[in-house]
Amino acid sequence: MHVIILGCGRVGSSLAARLDAEGHSVSVIDKKPRVKLRYLSEAFKGTVLQGNGFNRNILKQAGVARADAFIAVTSGDNTNIVGARIARDAYRVPKVVARIYDPRRAEIYRDLGIPTVATVRWTSNQIHQLLFHRDLDADMHFGNGESLLVRSSVPAYLEGRRLREFDVEGEIGVVEVTRGGRSAIPGPGTTIEVGDQVTFVVAATSLSRLQKFLDKEAGS
């Protein structure tokens, strides 16, 4: 995945470093000089460009034509929204996320189809979830977003298996199952039935592991 990040403050830099470490291609755009030395370690392998996210030459250098995602996380709502809309409307970037401080604006842009995130300490984790785990909706976040509550249906081929087989110490735990409209806390021997909706508590860093459990094909 090629990701363009507009803004390299605490959120932008932490997200850029995380995506880079995961092997993704990353371009960072920021107006401030020497931004790489200030916020990103020497281990960062992506591209850092000085300028704004509206300049077509800067966007071209950032690889907007091949971008899979555009993340706008500067300190200004207007900058983030304009950058996000240009990426989506002018360049047809598939995934666009904007950080918005004003909750009234956030509602407007969500209605326009631009996912927004709040200005809280766990924003980086929230954006990562939007990029890679959009079908695993978090019902609640804890702490700085390190732990989440996630609800999901369970694949039908797992019928008869114990729910506790999903448990991974320190990463994933099954805390509730809704079956036939009734909620219950599963015991050690509770088995899966078709149509179950299960609530997991999961470490943000283990969302990919849970996704693989839920996506795994029968017999694989």
Side-chain angles (χ1 to χ4, degrees):
M1 175 178 279
H2 179 58
V3 182
I4 298 174
I5 298 175
L6 175 60
C8 196
R10 293 180 180 178
V11 173
S13 59
S14 64
L15 184 62
R18 179 173 180 175
L19 293 172
D20 182 63
E22 291 174 354
H24 300 285
S25 171
V26 183
S27 292
V28 176
I29 302 172
D30 197 286
K31 292 192 297 184
K32 298 177 182 178
R34 300 174 64 83
V35 66
K36 182 175 181 180
L37 296 178
R38 291 174 58 194
Y39 292 108
L40 293 170
S41 74
E42 292 300 319
F44 181 70
K45 300 182 290 296
T47 302
V48 178
L49 300 167
Q50 183 181 343
N52 65 58
F54 323 138
N55 185 292
R56 291 182 179 270
N57 288 329
I58 293 292
L59 289 170
K60 183 177 179 180
Q61 293 177 55
V64 70
R66 61 185 177 88
D68 301 292
F70 183 95
I71 312 300
V73 285
T74 74
S75 59
D77 283 3
N78 290 337
T79 298
N80 292 339
I81 283 300
V82 172
R85 295 197 68 175
I86 288 174
R88 188 191 67 173
D89 299 338
Y91 293 99
R92 299 292 189 268
V93 177
K95 296 182 179 180
V96 175
V97 179
R99 182 187 190 187
I100 302 298
Y101 289 78
D102 186 339
R104 294 169 297 179
R105 288 184 175 185
E107 290 296 331
I108 292 171
Y109 288 109
R110 278 197 292 268
D111 289 343
L112 291 174
I114 299 177
T116 62
V117 291
T119 173
V120 290
R121 288 179 294 175
W122 42 265
T123 299
S124 179
N125 280 336
Q126 191 181 12
I127 293 172
H128 194 276
Q129 181 184 339
L130 284 170
L131 287 179
F132 299 106
H133 313 289
R134 296 183 73 165
D135 51 345
L136 287 181
D137 295 326
D139 287 351
M140 188 176 294
H141 300 76
F142 301 100
N144 296 329
E146 297 90 351
S147 300
L148 318 169
L149 275 184
V150 173
R151 285 179 59 79
S152 177
S153 58
V154 179
Y157 76 86
L158 290 174
E159 184 179 11
R161 301 280 291 273
R162 291 184 303 112
L163 274 170
R164 291 300 182 188
E165 293 182 35
F166 278 103
D167 289 352
V168 179
E169 186 175 356
E171 297 185 48
I172 301 169
V174 177
V175 296
E176 182 271 349
V177 59
T178 299
R179 178 178 297 164
R182 297 179 63 85
S183 175
I185 298 174
T190 303
T191 57
I192 296 169
E193 294 185 10
V194 175
D196 281 354
Q197 288 286 324
V198 179
T199 303
F200 302 90
V201 60
V202 55
T205 53
S206 297
L207 276 170
S208 294
R209 187 167 190 175
L210 177 59
Q211 186 79 71
K212 289 177 182 177
F213 287 167
L214 296 172
D215 289 346
K216 188 177 178 182
E217 296 182 1
S220 63

